[in-house]
Amino acid sequence: MKRILSIIILISMGSLLMAQEGYTPSESNVEYRKFVKNARLGIFIHWGIYSMLGDGEWVLNNQNINYKEYEKLAGGFFPSKFNADEWIAAFKDAGAEYITFTSRHHDGFSMWKSKVNPYNIFDATPFHRDIIGELASACRRQDFKLHLYFSHLDWSREDYWPLGNTGHNAGRPEGNEGSWRSYKKYMDDMLTELLTQYGPIGCIWFDGVWDKCQGHRERADSTWGLSHQYELIHSLQPACLVADNHHMQPFPGEDLQIFEQDIPGENTTGFGDGQQISTVIPVESCITMNNSWGYCIGDKDYKSIDKVIRLIVRAAGKDANVLLNIGPRPDGCLPVEAMELLRQLGDWMRAYGNEAIKGTDGGFYPEQEWGLVTRKGNTLYVHILNPVENITLPFAKARKVTTFDGKPIKFTSGKSETSFTVPMRAEGLTDQIIKIEL
Ligand code: FHN
């Protein structure tokens, strides 16, 4: 009995170390991590056949739709206005450097021409076009990076058995012993397709581990075979980052830490175990433009440009990226509100963000009531989000303090700190930036 107990303890200790234990990222992976960190802004796209129902990507689950009935949506999916080049051009113009696209969401529908899943955009719809293929080509043409969201969780498969915490009313028949093994193989086959058919993929962005392992970190690897999946990805494309939105501390083998609907470390959503910000791998906060991920016809509650800029600045000040989400319409167009936000964001990025956000470090100085600080080489960028009269910072021997456009500001700087009076703030300015040369 004692022996059995110690074996069980050893196994669970083993899986505590788990995932891709002993993983050392390849040089190309480390390089790509740097690229992603420097980019600071990506665009998240949640798009699938669910967009036709205009009620978000969880509609199958939330409206208790039978999975066989739901599948029939595919027969009517014809996004006649989809143009991958136009999407990528709009994202690029907004200052983003990569797109994270839902290759498959929890409904199990694949947005690429898959040989292992006929329930896909090419074979199951009259559209007969490979969306991921088109996005990959547009990204290549426009020098933009492609990341792929990949749902672990699947509401369409009978071998997704035993069920997790969701999708209980989709009407799937009870599975049989061994079907989980078949589902795991299916995931491997899909990942292999994605990583061998479309050229370089910047990141596989997993989601859904929580369906079976919410609050059970020690079970995540054994249930999902994360170590195996991470190894598979890194062996097929060593530079490809692995990210997993499991709402827990990163596991070995992950190259990008994710926070959802939150500035890193704030845990305002109450997801997971109150993740600490990683100082080892780059960090990304995925945030919706309105209150929905997938297209939601009634959700017009878009964030203002002021709010979006604040999110980007606050994330950068904490050394994190923002992955800003859009839910395209069923016809393949981006909602007009999203297009307008992208346009305004592009103006701001060109004026300020390219210099004071992209390629900067953050996280070395805590957020203050007035704002945050980013750094590039010897230059500190003081981002004043909330008006303040005087600022003293614990950075020594400043050579020069100026406004963003170079007007000198009087300052004092000693062995341990630098102080200055903040100049008048232009009306309506979201982020007043002061530059300090050290
Ligand atoms: O359930 C998903 C949700 O639909 C969406 O994809 C977000 C994006 O981070 N992630 C999940 C919830 O954690």
Side-chain angles (χ1 to χ4, degrees):
M1 184 63 185
K2 249 183 160 181
R3 208 174 127 75
I4 295 175
L5 259 180
S6 40
I7 291 172
I8 293 172
I9 290 168
L10 271 177
I11 291 172
S12 44
M13 276 174 57
S15 58
L16 268 176
L17 296 171
M18 60 193 162
Q20 209 183 337
E21 204 186 334
Y23 165 64
T24 308
S26 67
E27 258 177 54
S28 56
N29 187 290
V30 173
E31 269 309 295
Y32 193 63
R33 288 181 187 188
K34 279 191 209 144
F35 170 86
V36 168
K37 172 181 144 71
N38 286 336
R40 284 297 185 228
L41 179 65
I43 299 294
F44 207 176
I45 294 289
H46 275 70
W47 198 42
I49 55 175
Y50 44 79
S51 67
M52 280 189 285
L53 299 180
D55 193 17
E57 74 292 353
W58 273 65
V59 59
L60 183 157
N61 177 83
N62 294 355
Q63 292 191 19
N64 298 324
I65 300 174
N66 180 280
Y67 76 120
K68 283 287 174 205
E69 204 54 40
Y70 181 91
E71 267 179 20
K72 295 179 188 145
L73 284 175
F77 192 50
F78 195 92
S80 58
K81 296 186 177 145
F82 171 69
N83 182 319
D85 275 298
E86 282 175 14
W87 280 17
I88 302 301
F91 304 157
K92 224 180 147 158
D93 209 45
E97 301 202 23
Y98 59 96
I99 169 183
T100 306
F101 181 77
T102 43
S103 65
R104 58 185 239 108
H105 206 270
H106 311 333
D107 64 356
F109 182 79
S110 295
M111 294 294 274
W112 75 98
K113 184 177 188 308
S114 171
K115 289 194 188 70
V116 295
N117 179 20
Y119 185 39
N120 74 61
I121 185 71
F122 192 91
D123 295 306
T125 76
F127 197 49
H128 294 312
R129 279 164 55 183
D130 183 337
I131 300 272
I132 293 198
E134 293 187 23
L135 282 170
S137 308
C139 283
R140 244 190 322 276
R141 277 192 290 276
Q142 300 192 44
D143 192 21
F144 205 71
K145 305 294 183 223
L146 177 62
H147 296 188
L148 296 176
Y149 172 106
F150 184 99
S151 175
H152 273 123
L153 157 60
D154 191 316
W155 294 322
S156 74
R157 298 270 303 192
E158 289 167 16
D159 56 0
Y160 188 91
W161 190 267
L163 299 183
N165 296 320
T166 62
H168 285 231
N169 300 322
R172 278 171 293 176
E174 297 212 349
N176 42 40
E177 277 312 307
S179 60
W180 187 243
R181 256 200 310 275
S182 118
Y183 182 69
K184 284 217 263 195
K185 160 133 190 358
Y186 171 63
M187 286 192 289
D188 281 358
D189 293 345
M190 285 188 291
L191 286 167
T192 304
E193 284 187 339
L194 290 172
L195 289 157
T196 53
Q197 288 179 186
Y198 301 103
I201 301 300
C203 175
I204 295 288
W205 204 105
F206 286 114
D207 202 356
V209 156
W210 36 262
D211 191 49
K212 280 173 176 264
C213 297
Q214 185 78 58
H216 294 282
R217 182 177 173 84
E218 70 288 350
R219 282 212 315 254
D221 192 32
S222 53
T223 303
W224 292 100
L226 298 183
S227 20
H228 168 74
Q229 290 176 339
Y230 296 178
E231 256 169 51
L232 175 70
I233 293 166
H234 289 134
S235 69
L236 291 171
Q237 291 204 23
C240 181
L241 307 189
V242 170
D244 200 324
N245 187 30
H246 42 47
H247 308 150
M248 296 182 262
Q249 283 311 105
F251 290 82
E254 291 172 16
D255 307 295
L256 175 68
Q257 183 186 29
I258 296 163
F259 288 85
E260 180 172 335
Q261 296 286 40
D262 238 335
I263 293 293
E266 296 194 339
N267 197 24
T268 56
T269 55
F271 282 145
D273 55 4
Q275 296 158 267
Q276 303 303 305
I277 307 176
S278 171
T279 50
V280 181
I281 55 176
V283 178
E284 186 184 69
S285 272
C286 58
I287 298 179
T288 48
M289 273 193 179
N290 50 3
N291 300 313
S292 317
W293 297 103
Y295 179 61
C296 190
I297 200 160
D299 183 0
K300 295 286 178 191
D301 190 18
Y302 279 79
K303 294 179 177 64
S304 63
I305 183 63
D306 177 82
K307 204 160 181 186
V308 170
I309 293 168
R310 280 168 188 270
L311 286 169
I312 291 173
V313 171
R314 293 190 58 227
K318 298 191 174 196
D319 216 21
N321 291 14
V322 166
L323 183 63
L324 192 59
N325 181 76
I326 302 173
R329 297 191 321 226
D331 63 0
C333 288
L334 305 176
V336 282
E337 297 86 348
M339 285 298 284
E340 177 56 13
L341 260 183
L342 289 176
R343 193 192 58 71
Q344 293 173 327
L345 187 54
D347 289 345
W348 186 82
M349 290 298 278
R350 277 184 290 277
Y352 305 103
N354 287 350
E355 180 178 338
I357 297 290
K358 276 177 192 272
T360 62
D361 291 317
F364 55 90
Y365 183 64
E367 182 167 12
Q368 306 293 308
E369 246 171 60
W370 49 260
L372 305 102
V373 184
T374 57
R375 176 175 58 203
K376 195 184 270 176
N378 289 332
T379 307
L380 295 177
Y381 295 94
V382 183
H383 299 264
I384 307 171
L385 295 171
N386 302 311
V388 62
E389 281 179 14
N390 299 298
I391 289 183
T392 296
L393 293 166
F395 304 107
K397 297 188 185 155
R399 291 194 299 113
K400 202 158 89 172
V401 178
T402 68
T403 59
F404 187 71
D405 54 3
K407 293 195 188 72
I409 295 175
K410 277 204 189 131
F411 68 99
T412 58
S413 190
K415 275 195 196 132
S416 57
E417 46 185 44
T418 297
S419 305
F420 58 91
T421 297
V422 178
M424 277 267 289
R425 188 184 181 95
E427 188 141 353
L429 193 66
T430 303
D431 179 21
Q432 183 179 17
I433 303 175
I434 306 294
K435 291 207 264 194
I436 303 181
E437 300 291 336
L438 295 177

